[in-house]
Amino acid sequence: MSQLHKPVEEDIRELRDRLHPSRVLFGPETCERYARDESTRLYNLPCAVAIVENNEQVSTVLRWASEGGFGVVVRGAGTGVAGGAVPIAGEVVLSLEKLDRIIEIDEENLTATCQPGVITADLQEEVERRGLFYPPDPASADVSTIGGNVAVGAGGARAVKYGVTRDYVTGMTVVLADGEIVEMGGKNVKDATGYHLMQLMMGSEGTLGVITSVTVRLLPLPTRQTSLLVSFPDIEQAALSVSEIIRRRIIPAAAEFIDEVAIEAASKHLGRDLPSQEKAGAYVFILLDGESGEELQLQMEQISEIVEANGALDVLGAEDRGQQARLWESRKVVGDAMKGLSPQIGKADVVVPRGHVATLVKEVKKLALELDLSIACFGHAGDGNVHVNILRRTLGDEEWDNLLPLAFAGVMAIVKRLGGRPSGEHGIGVLKKDELVDFVGTRAHEIMKGVRKVFDPKGILNPGKVT
Amino acid sequence: MKILVPVRRVPNPDVKVRLMKDGSGIDTEGVNFLLNPFDEFAIEQAAQIVESSEGEVVLVSVGGADCEETLRAGLAVGGTRGWLVETDATLDSADVATLLAAVYKEESPDLVIAGKQSVDTDNNQAAQMLAAKLGLPQACFAYKVELGDGKATVEREIDGGLEVKEVDLPAVITADLRLNQPRYAALPQIMKAKRKEIKKSSPAELGVELASRTKVLGLIEPEARAAGQIVGSVDELVEKLKNEAKVL
């Protein structure tokens, strides 16, 4: 990476002149909200924030940065948890929050094209009104943006049946580091035209280019859905049940779980007791969707048999949308609820082959006992993606600083042994760079760095992140 | 004890409200519907009362054929049987009250518990009108309900505290959101609810001729809020507050 410079006042003035004075924020108060993300552990003020509204303005910012050798951090809603959108050394933040228009919903080609700052849930609602379906649903969908989802390779609960963001993008517009605008992919269902650069952009976390429009494919909206909440005495039984459901060829739209620490957090957050709370060590949440009520009812009965054979305490269900939302409430609030138990959290977003989830949680719980730490496991039992939250609770600085790396290393060792990966859907950012090298190996890491150099020879895009 | 609980099918309140192009109403195309959340508190309260004594909870809904689904949802969490007054007509609160009054007369329940309002139109009228039509006492926005000898004691939250009302039964009570914690349905309850009786009648069969006295002339969206401005100095702020916003 060539030498980067920190922009001085004159450089910022130059950027303001080229863009428009109102588009560049630089006061500490206004930059404050661009200095952090949802990782709870990072804080770094940008030297300025550029708020752009079209491709040309993105080009302008990148040309300015290229010429001067200034680092640029691309940012959507800032809901990432690996630090990908947080500056590390006072770089300029390029905020895409105002690029927030849905450009087109093409009902003939079953695609939607939108700007990167569109909130994921808004896109979902818009297509659902037309009887169409954009399945990826990261837990943050109500606040996170499509651009951020694509850049980080976001997943979500419906990955079990429908896959992740990566599986739905068919085209994008990218502004390269030198300001040139390139189209990748399109609306085509098939595409065997050389290397898929677009695939590289997904999960690039702002290191290869700036995504300024995204085209995704859509499905017909399933008309019926049913939810189940099953409580178990312990998390291992819960995970085994989910494996058994999938082994029996029932593929729910979502199969999630939360452990006893997460149940405690959710109950505290919601201010009420949850189902069978005194006996429950874990909840499993299942969403079934489809076209026929009979089919869903049959699946519901089969699942009920399976979970009861695996020691379920309670099997609750809902068909009405409002009652379903109530059933899912404790799962939905878990991310926020954790902060109520512990102001600081070490978040690992590991993924293992889905048949190994039970082993993973068992070993993580053992590790927690060994280290005498509070560790919560929750997430996507159906696709093997487990959020391991290491809670500081009331630990003192020294204890926390000693224990956190030990816990992380322990979790990663378990994941590696099970053939998993250090990140299922949160990305690498700045917090998981060591794990990246460790898991992909030196050679693959070299190739990644080489790819990055081709896209961004001066290394101005999101310096210090990912590779 | 027999308790009548009116339930309503409402558009999902989490979906952004959008108007029809001609402003004649709300566009519900592609929007999913659910059991009015306040009605869940009413059903739960009725279920608890019936469990501790004996009797039945009769759910009644007024609306299109889809309301059957909504009734089934209520039957899974405490309803004994259902009654659907089927009509595709646009109804105002008075129409709903008239139809509910007709069902009341057929059923002669000991008590009516309704949700305090439906979250679509938020009118908060039908239950009160029902009480008026039937000449029954009413206690609205219940926070706590206790039944005694032919009477109900109802606590309701008001500004600055709780108000306690005593009404003779039969009466109309409406449920507020802190009344109870609605239950979740166990799977067998959902299956059972699918087989529970739902009676269907048209308004004509109940001897009601609908003559809506409310006409919606048009709906318009509120004006978008103007964007904020960032000012350079306190003087500029004061100047703008004085001359532009005219609040100083």
Side-chain angles (χ1 to χ4, degrees):
Chain A
M1 216 184 290
S2 55
Q3 198 71 38
L4 289 182
H5 308 284
K6 205 170 165 182
V8 294
E9 215 181 306
E10 217 177 284
D11 300 317
I12 303 293
R13 201 174 312 129
E14 169 71 18
L15 179 62
R16 284 168 65 101
D17 286 347
R18 288 199 201 179
L19 216 48
H20 188 275
S22 69
R23 302 213 157 276
V24 182
L25 315 174
F26 55 89
E29 304 85 4
T30 42
C31 290
E32 221 275 332
R33 72 186 193 90
Y34 301 91
R36 62 177 94 235
D37 65 0
E38 291 293 318
S39 65
T40 69
R41 296 198 286 139
L42 299 169
Y43 181 86
N44 254 310
L45 272 179
C47 69
V49 179
I51 299 180
V52 292
E53 276 181 23
N54 57 45
N55 288 354
E56 287 64 40
Q57 289 169 355
V58 175
S59 286
T60 303
V61 174
L62 293 185
R63 271 197 303 269
W64 166 85
S66 269
E67 287 163 20
F70 310 128
V72 175
V73 176
V74 190
R75 186 174 169 107
T79 56
V81 290
V86 181
I88 53 171
E91 294 90 347
V92 171
V93 162
L94 174 59
S95 173
L96 306 181
E97 65 197 301
K98 290 277 155 83
L99 279 168
D100 60 356
R101 221 160 33 82
I102 296 175
I103 298 164
E104 177 198 44
I105 294 171
D106 182 340
E107 299 195 33
E108 193 177 344
N109 288 307
L110 297 187
T111 60
T113 302
C114 60
Q115 294 185 319
V118 169
I119 304 289
T120 310
D122 290 348
L123 176 69
Q124 286 169 336
E125 191 179 317
E126 203 52 52
V127 302
E128 282 171 27
R129 277 180 172 263
R130 293 164 165 80
L132 294 169
F133 186 35
Y134 174 67
D137 64 333
S140 59
D142 285 340
V143 278
S144 66
T145 62
I146 284 288
N149 293 173
V150 173
V152 85
R158 288 195 288 239
V160 199
K161 182 169 176 180
Y162 292 105
V164 297
T165 307
R166 209 178 267 279
D167 302 316
Y168 288 84
V169 179
T170 64
M172 56 173 74
T173 309
V174 175
V175 182
L176 298 174
D178 58 9
E180 194 170 325
I181 301 169
V182 180
E183 297 292 332
M184 298 179 183
K187 289 182 182 175
N188 307 297
V189 174
K190 295 180 175 178
D191 184 355
T193 323
Y195 302 150
H196 277 206
L197 299 181
M198 202 176 65
Q199 287 294 339
L200 285 173
M201 294 304 300
M202 293 187 242
S204 66
E205 302 184 43
T207 62
L208 301 184
V210 180
I211 302 165
T212 56
S213 89
V214 177
T215 300
V216 294
R217 67 189 177 89
L218 305 171
L219 300 179
L221 180 68
T223 48
R224 304 194 76 87
Q225 63 176 51
T226 298
S227 291
L228 297 173
L229 188 168
V230 188
S231 49
F232 288 93
D234 75 65
I235 184 90
E236 214 187 321
Q237 279 167 303
L240 285 171
S241 294
V242 174
S243 292
E244 180 63 14
I245 290 166
I246 289 167
R247 209 182 61 77
R248 295 268 291 268
R249 307 288 184 269
I250 303 170
I251 307 293
E256 305 271 296
F257 73 146
I258 65 176
D259 70 0
E260 84 283 0
V261 183
I263 293 174
E264 179 200 343
S267 166
K268 201 174 150 195
H269 185 84
L270 294 168
R272 60 181 161 82
D273 288 341
L274 296 172
S276 307
Q277 193 174 340
E278 61 296 343
K279 285 175 289 175
Y283 291 158
V284 168
F285 303 82
I286 290 170
L287 176 69
L288 299 168
D289 68 0
E291 288 309 313
S292 107
E294 290 76 44
E295 181 200 337
L296 294 192
Q297 196 176 323
L298 183 68
Q299 289 185 352
M300 204 156 75
E301 282 165 10
Q302 287 172 321
I303 290 174
S304 172
E305 273 171 38
I306 295 169
V307 297
E308 270 162 17
N310 277 285
L313 299 168
D314 265 325
V315 188
L316 306 175
E319 292 177 329
D320 179 80
R321 297 282 174 145
Q323 291 177 340
Q324 287 191 57
R326 210 148 54 72
L327 214 53
W328 276 91
E329 211 174 12
S330 51
R331 169 65 187 101
K332 297 276 180 204
V333 301
V334 132
D336 283 334
M338 281 297 158
K339 292 184 217 157
L341 277 193
S342 175
Q344 273 200 332
I345 300 166
K347 292 182 186 179
D349 152 52
V350 301
V351 59
V352 293
R354 51 185 159 194
H356 293 330
V357 171
T359 316
L360 173 72
V361 293
K362 189 170 94 181
E363 295 196 15
V364 169
K365 292 288 163 189
K366 213 172 96 193
L367 177 74
L369 272 181
E370 279 166 20
L371 295 175
D372 194 21
L373 253 179
S374 182
I375 302 185
C377 290
F378 59 91
H380 318 296
D383 61 32
N385 184 196
V386 179
H387 300 304
V388 178
N389 280 11
I390 303 157
L391 307 182
R392 177 169 180 170
R393 297 221 189 203
T394 55
L395 290 179
D397 286 345
E398 197 183 329
E399 248 181 315
W400 174 243
D401 291 343
N402 285 336
L403 281 174
L404 184 64
L406 281 179
F408 258 123
V411 171
M412 290 306 162
I414 297 166
V415 172
K416 208 167 183 187
R417 207 162 54 237
L418 295 173
R421 304 295 260 179
S423 175
E425 57 184 11
H426 292 169
I428 298 300
V430 69
L431 292 175
K432 276 175 253 162
K433 286 172 68 179
D434 293 345
E435 284 86 356
L436 175 77
V437 188
D438 186 26
F439 276 77
V440 301
T442 328
R443 187 65 200 273
H445 188 236
E446 283 304 318
I447 296 174
M448 287 187 187
K449 289 210 278 200
V451 168
R452 183 168 183 176
K453 188 129 192 138
V454 172
F455 272 83
D456 177 20
K458 289 188 175 169
I460 60 162
L461 291 172
N462 222 354
K465 309 287 169 54
V466 187
T467 65
Chain B
M1 171 170 274
K2 188 199 275 190
I3 306 175
L4 189 68
V5 180
V7 297
R8 185 161 167 86
R9 180 178 171 82
V10 295
N12 189 339
D14 289 336
V15 176
K16 267 183 231 110
V17 175
R18 197 170 293 178
L19 301 183
M20 307 273 265
K21 283 211 174 66
D22 61 1
S24 63
I26 306 288
D27 182 3
T28 55
E29 180 71 30
V31 175
N32 53 56
F33 284 72
L34 44 86
L35 170 60
N36 179 39
F38 284 112
D39 299 349
E40 294 209 57
F41 302 103
I43 298 170
E44 177 62 34
Q45 198 61 32
Q48 287 180 13
I49 293 169
V50 164
E51 275 162 6
S52 63
S53 55
E54 280 245 319
E56 56 174 356
V57 177
V58 182
L59 306 183
V60 52
S61 191
V62 174
D66 290 343
C67 291
E68 182 175 339
E69 255 179 38
T70 309
L71 282 168
R72 299 262 175 231
L75 292 175
V77 289
T80 318
R81 60 187 169 87
W83 190 332
L84 170 58
V85 182
E86 206 173 330
T87 170
D88 289 323
T90 308
L91 306 169
D92 64 15
S93 304
D95 297 327
V96 173
T98 307
L99 291 166
L100 292 177
V103 172
Y104 178 95
K105 280 173 190 155
E106 304 250 333
E107 288 283 351
S108 312
D110 305 290
L111 178 63
V112 178
I113 307 181
K116 77 164 177 178
Q117 65 200 63
S118 66
V119 299
D120 50 356
T121 55
D122 278 330
N123 282 343
N124 186 359
Q125 290 175 332
Q128 291 88 333
M129 287 176 169
L130 173 67
K133 276 181 197 292
L134 297 169
L136 297 180
Q138 54 176 293
C140 297
F141 323 139
Y143 165 82
K144 193 174 173 189
V145 175
E146 261 172 36
L147 295 187
D149 193 18
K151 288 182 193 310
T153 310
V154 176
E155 284 180 23
R156 41 190 247 131
E157 286 179 301
I158 55 167
D159 290 344
L162 288 173
E163 184 182 39
V164 185
K165 283 198 167 188
E166 195 180 82
V167 287
D168 289 328
L169 297 184
V172 175
I173 295 173
T174 72
D176 211 337
L177 79 174
R178 273 177 290 276
L179 179 58
N180 53 46
Q181 185 59 56
R183 70 194 61 190
Y184 299 99
L187 214 49
Q189 299 302 325
I190 295 181
M191 301 302 179
K192 228 160 119 189
K194 292 187 192 297
R195 294 188 300 271
K196 285 183 181 173
E197 179 204 342
I198 293 182
K199 183 173 172 176
K200 289 178 190 169
S201 329
S202 64
E205 282 164 340
L206 287 167
V208 175
E209 204 177 315
L210 292 170
S212 203
R213 280 160 299 181
T214 315
K215 194 176 167 200
V216 175
L217 298 178
L219 295 167
I220 46 168
E221 296 207 22
E223 261 179 62
R225 224 176 109 186
Q229 302 177 26
I230 294 176
V231 293
S233 66
V234 174
D235 289 344
E236 195 187 338
L237 174 68
V238 172
E239 193 272 324
K240 279 185 185 288
L241 288 175
K242 257 188 190 149
N243 301 322
E244 231 180 277
K246 298 193 190 330
V247 291
L248 285 184

